[in-house]
Amino acid sequence: MPRGRYSLHDPHDHTPLGEEHFHCATGPSGWRYVSQITTPSGDHAGSVDLTLDDLGRPIRLELHAASWQVRGAALDGVTWVRSDPTGEFAQEGNVPAHSFTGASPAFLIATSRLLRPAPGAPATRVRLVALTPPVLAPRTLDQSWALLKTEAHATDNGPLTVENYQVSDLETGETHDVHLAGDVVLAAPGIELEDLESPPSTFG
């Protein structure tokens, strides 16, 4: 069960945004990721609880940020409820999309599990609902993912397979690289892996 800490920063000007303390685990029915997010000063800023099935579909998502929360799942596309803590301003949403995305590294793992592109294959297009702090307002976007290469790196615990993805925003044309090892993000825009207590899990 990988457990560790990511540092989060603005990908454009590198302003620190805080840290995400996480643990995650694979199982016979899928994958679960749980994290607590703190501000640069160490105050609690939110949480992520995401469960995928064995096909990479989000069967349970719960996000908290500031005074907002979202619960969602893959249902007739993706369906969610966004609300304040009291539920007074709860709003339901549904769009014909494949999954969710957001600021957490968990969503990069989730999208890679959903698409599972082959190395060198043409880029795969995916429609996602983005939920980003601080207000978690939903926004539908289209991306393309291509697995450029996989590399095996020797470690004390045996070979570590690193996947290098190229991710493109189909609205803006912006392209960036994402480096994953099993269920851990090694590097991505705005994300740095600062501490890892145990090796990444490998997916069957």
Side-chain angles (χ1 to χ4, degrees), residues 73-157:
L75 182 66
D76 297 327
V78 294
T79 299
W80 68 90
V81 176
R82 174 177 174 266
S83 69
D84 60 300
T86 66
E88 181 181 356
F89 301 104
Q91 292 183 318
E92 295 185 12
N94 170 266
V95 296
H98 300 94
S99 190
F100 298 99
T101 190
S104 172
F107 294 112
L108 298 175
I109 302 293
T111 304
S112 74
R113 290 303 300 156
L114 181 71
L115 300 180
R116 305 183 196 188
T124 301
R125 180 175 179 141
V126 62
R127 174 157 290 182
L128 303 169
V129 174
L131 303 163
T132 54
V135 296
L136 303 179
R139 181 174 71 92
T140 304
L141 55 85
D142 294 308
Q143 291 181 341
S144 71
W145 280 61
L147 179 55
L148 300 183
K149 61 182 178 180
T150 61
E151 295 179 313
H153 297 266
T155 71
D156 294 339
N157 298 301

Side-chain angles (χ1 to χ4, degrees), residues 6-8 20 31 33 48 50 52 56 99-117 126 128 141 143-145 163 165-168 176-193 203:
Y6 295 108
S7 63
L8 309 177
E20 187 159 336
W31 180 70
Y33 177 101
V48 179
L50 172 64
L52 308 179
S99 190
F100 298 99
T101 190
S104 172
F107 294 112
L108 298 175
I109 302 293
T111 304
S112 74
R113 290 303 300 156
L114 181 71
L115 300 180
R116 305 183 196 188
V126 62
L128 303 169
L141 55 85
Q143 291 181 341
S144 71
W145 280 61
E163 299 174 324
Y165 293 87
Q166 185 178 77
V167 180
S168 301
H176 59 268
D177 288 342
V178 172
H179 299 271
L180 308 180
D183 57 354
V184 171
V185 178
L186 300 182
I191 299 167
E192 294 292 340
L193 179 64
F203 292 101

Side-chain angles (χ1 to χ4, degrees), residues 1-6 22-26 31 155-158 160 181-186 193-202:
M1 178 186 295
R3 183 183 299 269
R5 173 173 54 90
Y6 295 108
F22 73 95
H23 63 272
C24 53
T26 56
W31 180 70
T155 71
D156 294 339
N157 298 301
L160 180 68
D183 57 354
V184 171
V185 178
L186 300 182
L193 179 64
E194 300 290 351
D195 182 52
L196 186 64
E197 295 181 9
S198 55
S201 300
T202 56

